[in-house]
Amino acid sequence: MSLNLEQYVSEFSAQNINGEHLLQLDGSKLKALGMTSSQDRAIIKKKLKEMKTSMEKARKAQEKMEKQREKLRKKEQEQLQRKSKRTDKSSSDATEGTNEQ
């Protein structure tokens, strides 16, 4: 409707075309749904391409964030392990010093 193509709403609804299905449509499928105007199909295809590009960018950004979080988790885990080893070593050294006395 925001693209001024409300004349196709009833057919898309009747065919259960939702957002996920819409992303799968190409020119021939749009034509089969009754979209006879090549201009209208071009508008839809252009908007779908923009949406797919936007979704891909969002997906890549999400993957990048997840990788950064994982890297940070690993770094924190390594720091905790190093700290734990130092604590173990210092308590072990203290025990050895007490035993020597």
Side-chain angles (χ1 to χ4, degrees):
M1 291 176 79
S2 66
L3 299 173
N4 296 320
L5 299 172
E6 53 275 338
Q7 67 267 30
Y8 302 110
V9 171
S10 61
E11 184 61 31
F12 277 50
S13 295
Q15 296 294 324
N16 294 319
I17 303 297
N18 59 21
E20 190 175 325
H21 290 114
L22 189 60
L23 291 171
Q24 305 300 320
L25 299 179
D26 60 12
S28 62
K29 290 177 183 173
L30 289 169
K31 197 171 187 177
L33 283 169
M35 194 173 275
T36 56
S37 168
S38 61
Q39 284 183 316
D40 291 351
R41 287 194 307 272
I43 290 169
I44 291 283
K45 289 191 292 187
K46 181 181 177 189
K47 194 64 166 178
L48 289 173
K49 185 176 180 178
E50 290 171 6
M51 289 171 61
K52 288 176 184 177
T53 301
S54 178
M55 288 173 54
E56 184 64 21
K57 284 181 183 178
R59 185 188 65 76
K60 286 182 180 181
Q62 181 68 28
E63 287 177 356
K64 185 176 180 180
M65 289 282 288
E66 288 173 7
K67 285 180 183 179
Q68 288 173 340
R69 283 189 196 126
E70 184 61 30
K71 189 176 180 179
L72 185 60
R73 265 190 240 118
K74 284 181 181 179
K75 188 175 182 179
E76 288 172 348
Q77 200 171 32
E78 288 171 358
Q79 288 174 342
L80 285 172
Q81 286 174 345
R82 278 187 244 131
K83 187 176 181 181
S84 175
K85 285 180 183 177
R86 281 189 292 227
T87 305
D88 290 348
K89 188 177 187 304
S90 63
S91 66
S92 170
D93 291 347
T95 305
E96 286 177 14
T98 304
N99 289 342
E100 289 175 4
Q101 291 177 2

